[in-house]
Amino acid sequence: MPWPWQNEQRCWKTLRQEMNEKKVREASFFVERMKMDTEIINLQQRREEGICAGIQCAKQGELFAIPTETVYGLAGNALNEQVIHSIFTTKGRPADNPLIVHVCDVAMAETIADLSKEAYALAEQFWPGPLTLILPAKACIPAVVTAGLSTVAVRMPNQKEVLEIIRQSKIPLAAPSANKSGRPSPTKAEHVLDDFAGEIPLILDGGMCSVGVESTVLLLGERPTILRPGNITQDALQDVIGTVHMDEHILHPMQTNDVIRSPGMKYKHYAPKANVTMVDGANKIEKIKQLYDEKTREGRACVIFSSLQTSDFYQPRNCVILGDNERLVTFSHHFYDALRSADKAKYQEIIMESIPAQAEGLAFMNRALRAASFQVILAK
Ligand code: TXA
Ligand code: MG
């Protein structure tokens, strides 16, 4: 028979426990109520339905995911301040990182920005396509879109159904990449679902993105400068408008006193849960094998990201081929998918080869270095 005070103590304990359980039940009830069904519409099978649903979301101020040739976007009406706020909160994006506005043609771009002679020439050459132009913004663009900057980022994506949604609704769509802030960008509808299931009503599934990394971001004006490299290279841009500069942060981390031309540069990006190490230099294959074996002995689950030409050297270790060294552009295509797949397979260490940071290889290296938090080992 317990003493009365012991009983009392037990009573308090049960009461506290019950109250906690009640709180948890109530909280999950509210979370459930806030959640919604996320519908996925495959655009190949249900094209018209997908376009209608997209138009409806755009008009009703709902967020929805769109496929583009680069990566999937989390889209909403660019002219509606409330909608823009919800893009930032849903994505968990810092408010000082501005959004790209997607248009269906040059005429719509003219309604939101001032286009220079260079802008017209580039749009003529590369739109629809993976090129974003930073242009002086017109007053109709809410300050939340541009994070208070006087410029706005504009792009015409190369995705027929999305262009149709913008054209028919007459609504320019603000759309950052459709991933939770900091995570690898989505190149498949299932990646978007992984990050936003229950938080957005609609995902338009356009299959795997053909490019696989985000658009080239070009600042126009007196000194045209690439702020983010993509599949449209410096050479291709120079062929149209003459000298184009490269921002110095493309391959280097930001330092505290650096001028930030594109706010996106200062944030952590493309990070999987696994620890990523990049290995560069003539002896990289030997170094990668050594690192892999060391970490495996420590009990870490490892995978190597290699090229078509080098994968055989790593046998029998876990290895994923990212691309073909003869065609650097291929490395970008599977990169984000490979990062997400490595997380799903519960790998703890990704050890990857560097590639030349030139031409189409630059876009890949810009993302890969950030995924690796600039952890690079030089194997001479
Ligand atoms: O391919 C793409 O560009 C994809 C698809 C969905 O279109 N979108 C995309 O958006 O990558 P996001 O939000 O993930 O990246 C936009 C980048 C950020 O680095 C941002 O800082 C920069 O563009 N940006 C946007 N507006 C800017 C401005 N006015 N001045 C300088 N940089 C700007
Ligand atoms: Mg992004």
Side-chain angles (χ1 to χ4, degrees):
M1 172 80 186
W3 296 99
W5 59 267
Q6 274 182 324
N7 235 346
E8 203 173 313
Q9 235 182 15
R10 199 181 293 156
C11 256
W12 273 115
K13 209 169 156 194
T14 341
L15 196 63
R16 251 206 321 268
Q17 229 162 32
E18 274 174 13
M19 279 168 70
N20 278 342
E21 277 164 18
K22 187 160 171 270
K23 266 193 219 152
V24 171
R25 265 202 314 275
E26 277 173 3
S28 51
F29 173 71
F30 282 117
V31 170
E32 280 313 310
R33 267 185 23 162
M34 275 160 57
K35 289 225 171 190
M36 53 177 97
D37 287 334
T38 301
E39 192 187 5
I40 303 179
I41 299 185
N42 183 313
L43 288 173
Q44 225 176 9
Q45 293 156 3
R46 296 158 67 196
R47 182 174 190 273
E48 294 311 316
E49 216 183 315
I51 293 174
C52 284
I55 294 172
Q56 212 176 359
C57 280
K59 286 190 172 166
Q60 291 176 348
E62 304 265 21
L63 302 189
F64 61 114
I66 53 168
T68 81
E69 77 280 33
T70 56
V71 299
Y72 278 74
L74 181 63
N77 183 349
L79 306 176
N80 182 327
E81 207 167 305
Q82 249 348 87
V83 171
I84 303 303
H85 278 301
S86 62
I87 292 182
F88 278 95
T89 46
T90 307
K91 192 174 148 85
R93 182 179 178 104
D96 67 350
N97 193 3
L99 306 179
I100 297 175
V101 180
H102 297 69
V103 296
C104 60
D105 52 26
V106 171
M108 187 181 264
E110 285 169 337
T111 65
I112 59 168
D114 293 326
L115 277 73
S116 57
K117 177 167 106 277
E118 288 77 19
Y120 281 110
L122 291 166
E124 166 76 27
Q125 179 73 23
F126 297 113
W127 282 2
L131 175 65
T132 296
L133 301 175
I134 307 291
L135 303 166
K138 287 202 166 152
C140 62
I141 290 291
V144 274
V145 172
T146 66
L149 297 173
S150 59
T151 51
V152 61
V154 188
R155 137 167 156 85
M156 179 181 172
N158 191 9
Q159 213 292 339
K160 285 203 178 72
E161 287 80 17
V162 170
L163 291 178
E164 202 50 37
I165 291 168
I166 303 173
R167 194 181 63 75
Q168 286 190 38
S169 65
K170 300 188 179 62
I171 295 174
L173 293 176
S177 49
N179 52 281
K180 288 282 182 190
S181 219
R183 298 258 303 133
S185 300
T187 51
K188 289 177 175 174
E190 65 179 73
H191 299 161
V192 182
L193 194 67
D194 286 342
D195 283 13
F196 295 109
E199 291 185 69
I200 56 173
L202 175 67
I203 298 174
L204 297 177
D205 182 354
M208 177 138 189
C209 299
S210 57
V211 172
V213 287
E214 302 85 341
S215 59
T216 304
V217 176
L218 178 68
L219 175 69
L220 282 176
E222 268 173 35
R223 202 182 139 82
T225 306
I226 294 177
L227 303 181
R228 182 178 72 184
N231 265 25
I232 295 183
T233 60
Q234 184 180 24
D235 283 351
L237 295 170
Q238 294 193 140
D239 284 347
V240 181
I241 59 164
T243 310
V244 170
H245 301 270
M246 280 282 179
D247 192 278
E248 64 269 31
H249 299 106
I250 282 174
L251 294 175
H252 303 284
M254 301 284 306
Q255 305 299 321
T256 337
N257 295 322
D258 287 356
V259 176
I260 301 162
R261 290 204 191 81
S262 181
M265 287 175 177
K266 64 181 183 202
Y267 293 108
K268 191 173 162 70
H269 271 307
Y270 322 119
K273 294 187 188 101
N275 180 48
V276 184
T277 309
M278 183 184 277
V279 183
D280 189 18
N283 259 330
K284 61 185 162 199
I285 295 174
E286 281 315 306
K287 186 71 196 174
I288 288 175
K289 287 200 277 191
Q290 183 199 335
L291 274 176
Y292 182 106
D293 295 344
E294 269 170 29
K295 287 180 190 281
T296 305
R297 276 196 298 275
E298 287 164 17
R300 309 274 293 163
C302 302
V303 63
I304 296 166
F305 285 1
S306 79
S307 69
L308 187 64
Q309 286 79 3
T310 52
S311 70
D312 279 350
F313 297 119
Y314 299 116
Q315 296 266 352
R317 300 168 184 82
N318 301 318
C319 181
V320 172
I321 298 173
L322 277 196
D324 177 350
N325 280 329
E326 311 275 298
R327 293 193 310 131
L328 295 184
V329 72
T330 53
F331 282 85
S332 297
H333 186 59
H334 291 293
F335 183 50
Y336 291 136
D337 187 38
L339 290 177
R340 283 178 178 260
S341 301
D343 277 348
K344 279 202 172 151
K346 302 250 183 310
Y347 285 118
Q348 296 158 302
E349 298 285 343
I350 298 172
I351 311 170
M352 62 186 297
E353 293 177 4
S354 67
I355 65 166
Q358 298 154 5
E360 285 94 352
L362 184 64
F364 171 79
M365 284 297 281
N366 168 268
R367 293 1 180 242
L369 282 166
R370 281 161 178 79
S373 306
F374 292 94
Q375 260 193 107
V376 184
I377 294 178
L378 185 62
K380 284 192 191 153

mmCIF file of all heavy atoms in Angstrom, residues 91 93 176-177 179 185 214 228 269-270, ligand 2:
data_model
loop_
_atom_site.group_PDB
_atom_site.id
_atom_site.type_symbol
_atom_site.label_atom_id
_atom_site.label_comp_id
_atom_site.label_asym_id
_atom_site.label_seq_id
_atom_site.Cartn_x
_atom_site.Cartn_y
_atom_site.Cartn_z
ATOM 1 N N LYS A 91 7.781 27.889 -48.708
ATOM 2 C CA LYS A 91 9.110 27.411 -49.079
ATOM 3 C C LYS A 91 10.121 27.555 -47.932
ATOM 4 O O LYS A 91 11.169 26.926 -47.911
ATOM 5 C CB LYS A 91 9.581 28.206 -50.309
ATOM 6 C CG LYS A 91 10.807 27.638 -50.984
ATOM 7 C CD LYS A 91 11.126 28.381 -52.268
ATOM 8 C CE LYS A 91 12.617 28.394 -52.499
ATOM 9 N NZ LYS A 91 13.178 27.239 -53.161
ATOM 10 N N ARG A 93 11.560 30.466 -47.333
ATOM 11 C CA ARG A 93 12.608 31.244 -47.996
ATOM 12 C C ARG A 93 12.807 32.577 -47.287
ATOM 13 O O ARG A 93 11.827 33.254 -46.947
ATOM 14 C CB ARG A 93 12.180 31.497 -49.439
ATOM 15 C CG ARG A 93 13.184 32.252 -50.312
ATOM 16 C CD ARG A 93 12.581 32.361 -51.701
ATOM 17 N NE ARG A 93 13.344 33.069 -52.678
ATOM 18 C CZ ARG A 93 14.046 32.477 -53.658
ATOM 19 N NH1 ARG A 93 14.118 31.177 -53.711
ATOM 20 N NH2 ARG A 93 14.665 33.197 -54.561
ATOM 21 N N PRO A 176 9.899 30.408 -57.492
ATOM 22 C CA PRO A 176 11.232 29.916 -57.120
ATOM 23 C C PRO A 176 11.251 28.419 -57.369
ATOM 24 O O PRO A 176 10.205 27.822 -57.638
ATOM 25 C CB PRO A 176 11.299 30.220 -55.626
ATOM 26 C CG PRO A 176 9.876 30.120 -55.169
ATOM 27 C CD PRO A 176 9.011 30.558 -56.330
ATOM 28 N N SER A 177 12.414 27.790 -57.276
ATOM 29 C CA SER A 177 12.466 26.335 -57.415
ATOM 30 C C SER A 177 11.581 25.710 -56.328
ATOM 31 O O SER A 177 11.532 26.212 -55.197
ATOM 32 C CB SER A 177 13.907 25.844 -57.300
ATOM 33 O OG SER A 177 14.517 26.403 -56.154
ATOM 34 N N ASN A 179 11.403 23.556 -53.986
ATOM 35 C CA ASN A 179 12.005 22.758 -52.916
ATOM 36 C C ASN A 179 11.926 23.576 -51.637
ATOM 37 O O ASN A 179 11.860 24.810 -51.690
ATOM 38 C CB ASN A 179 13.477 22.475 -53.232
ATOM 39 C CG ASN A 179 14.228 23.742 -53.565
ATOM 40 O OD1 ASN A 179 14.134 24.260 -54.689
ATOM 41 N ND2 ASN A 179 14.960 24.283 -52.598
ATOM 42 N N SER A 185 17.213 21.209 -55.561
ATOM 43 C CA SER A 185 16.063 21.593 -56.386
ATOM 44 C C SER A 185 15.390 20.350 -56.964
ATOM 45 O O SER A 185 16.024 19.315 -57.134
ATOM 46 C CB SER A 185 16.525 22.515 -57.510
ATOM 47 O OG SER A 185 17.110 23.661 -56.960
ATOM 48 N N GLU A 214 19.065 25.116 -62.638
ATOM 49 C CA GLU A 214 18.321 26.346 -62.851
ATOM 50 C C GLU A 214 18.908 27.204 -63.965
ATOM 51 O O GLU A 214 20.077 27.052 -64.342
ATOM 52 C CB GLU A 214 18.288 27.170 -61.545
ATOM 53 C CG GLU A 214 17.691 26.460 -60.359
ATOM 54 C CD GLU A 214 18.682 25.588 -59.616
ATOM 55 O OE1 GLU A 214 19.740 25.239 -60.183
ATOM 56 O OE2 GLU A 214 18.403 25.235 -58.464
ATOM 57 N N ARG A 228 24.377 33.756 -61.909
ATOM 58 C CA ARG A 228 24.267 32.309 -61.670
ATOM 59 C C ARG A 228 24.424 31.614 -63.020
ATOM 60 O O ARG A 228 23.687 31.910 -63.949
ATOM 61 C CB ARG A 228 22.891 31.983 -61.064
ATOM 62 C CG ARG A 228 22.695 30.509 -60.743
ATOM 63 C CD ARG A 228 21.344 30.223 -60.093
ATOM 64 N NE ARG A 228 20.244 30.347 -61.019
ATOM 65 C CZ ARG A 228 18.956 30.232 -60.695
ATOM 66 N NH1 ARG A 228 18.611 30.017 -59.442
ATOM 67 N NH2 ARG A 228 18.006 30.344 -61.597
ATOM 68 N N HIS A 269 22.705 26.130 -50.074
ATOM 69 C CA HIS A 269 21.941 25.661 -51.212
ATOM 70 C C HIS A 269 22.140 24.189 -51.502
ATOM 71 O O HIS A 269 23.220 23.657 -51.283
ATOM 72 C CB HIS A 269 22.403 26.396 -52.465
ATOM 73 C CG HIS A 269 21.654 27.661 -52.712
ATOM 74 N ND1 HIS A 269 20.302 27.732 -52.761
ATOM 75 C CD2 HIS A 269 22.103 28.917 -52.943
ATOM 76 C CE1 HIS A 269 19.933 28.971 -53.015
ATOM 77 N NE2 HIS A 269 21.014 29.719 -53.122
ATOM 78 N N TYR A 270 21.122 23.593 -52.076
ATOM 79 C CA TYR A 270 21.229 22.286 -52.728
ATOM 80 C C TYR A 270 21.752 21.195 -51.796
ATOM 81 O O TYR A 270 22.367 20.234 -52.245
ATOM 82 C CB TYR A 270 22.152 22.365 -53.964
ATOM 83 C CG TYR A 270 22.021 23.636 -54.760
ATOM 84 C CD1 TYR A 270 23.103 24.500 -54.940
ATOM 85 C CD2 TYR A 270 20.812 23.971 -55.340
ATOM 86 C CE1 TYR A 270 22.973 25.668 -55.679
ATOM 87 C CE2 TYR A 270 20.674 25.138 -56.082
ATOM 88 C CZ TYR A 270 21.765 25.991 -56.235
ATOM 89 O OH TYR A 270 21.640 27.143 -56.956
HETATM 90 MG MG MG B 2 16.276 27.728 -55.785
#
